[in-house]
Amino acid sequence: MSSSVSQATLDYLARRLDELAAEFPTSPEAVDPVTLADDIVTLTHHLQQATERAQERFTAPATVHAPERLVLLRLAKAAAGIARALDTLTEALTYATADFQREAVPDLAHSHLRNDPQVLRMLTAEKYVAARARLRNTAADLRTTGPPTPRTTRPATRRAAVPQRTRL
């Protein structure tokens, strides 16, 4: 029997995303392409783990009950948030690596900015900031438990028996 996906699973993933986001550089001087590549690998790992966890639960959908389905839905939304942050970091890698400088600043063939490593570092740092914000928002969404709104059940009231009319 597969293990269930619970709020504890989401809390763990949220902590890991927060830890990763906290390590992201905030200034162009702190940008390092090797560390950026490591961050991409780590984020890819978290995305893969979340996806595999959801897949293994749905191999036997009859065993996944309503509360866990809600948790799995939140896990799927988190996976989408992680994927968007991963896209942002991939763009940052484009700016941070020398091989892709032409793509980083298009249409500036004769500009002094084209080969300026400081400009590319600034662009990379901006992408890191965007990825940090996405990861923190995703982590916050994972922690938001928002209890399901309970149905208000009214006490069963019986209607007074209405005498039936008989036809004569």
Side-chain angles (χ1 to χ4, degrees), residues 94-95 98-107 114 120 123:
T94 299
Y95 295 136
D99 292 337
F100 298 111
Q101 286 184 9
R102 288 187 197 98
E103 291 179 26
V105 189
D107 300 326
R114 180 182 176 112
L120 297 174
L123 293 171

Side-chain angles (χ1 to χ4, degrees), residues 21-95:
E23 294 175 5
F24 286 174
T26 56
S27 67
E29 296 77 29
V31 170
D32 176 34
V34 173
T35 304
L36 176 57
D38 288 343
D39 293 338
I40 290 171
V41 168
T42 301
L43 201 52
T44 302
H45 170 75
H46 290 306
L47 179 61
Q48 181 179 359
Q49 289 293 105
T51 304
E52 286 175 0
R53 197 75 182 262
Q55 284 177 336
E56 77 183 22
R57 285 306 295 139
F58 280 114
T59 57
T63 65
V64 182
H65 303 290
E68 188 179 4
R69 286 177 189 257
L70 293 174
V71 172
L72 285 168
L73 176 65
R74 292 178 54 218
L75 183 61
K77 288 180 181 179
I82 293 169
R84 285 190 298 275
L86 187 58
D87 286 343
T88 304
L89 287 182
T90 304
E91 289 177 32
L93 184 62
T94 299
Y95 295 136

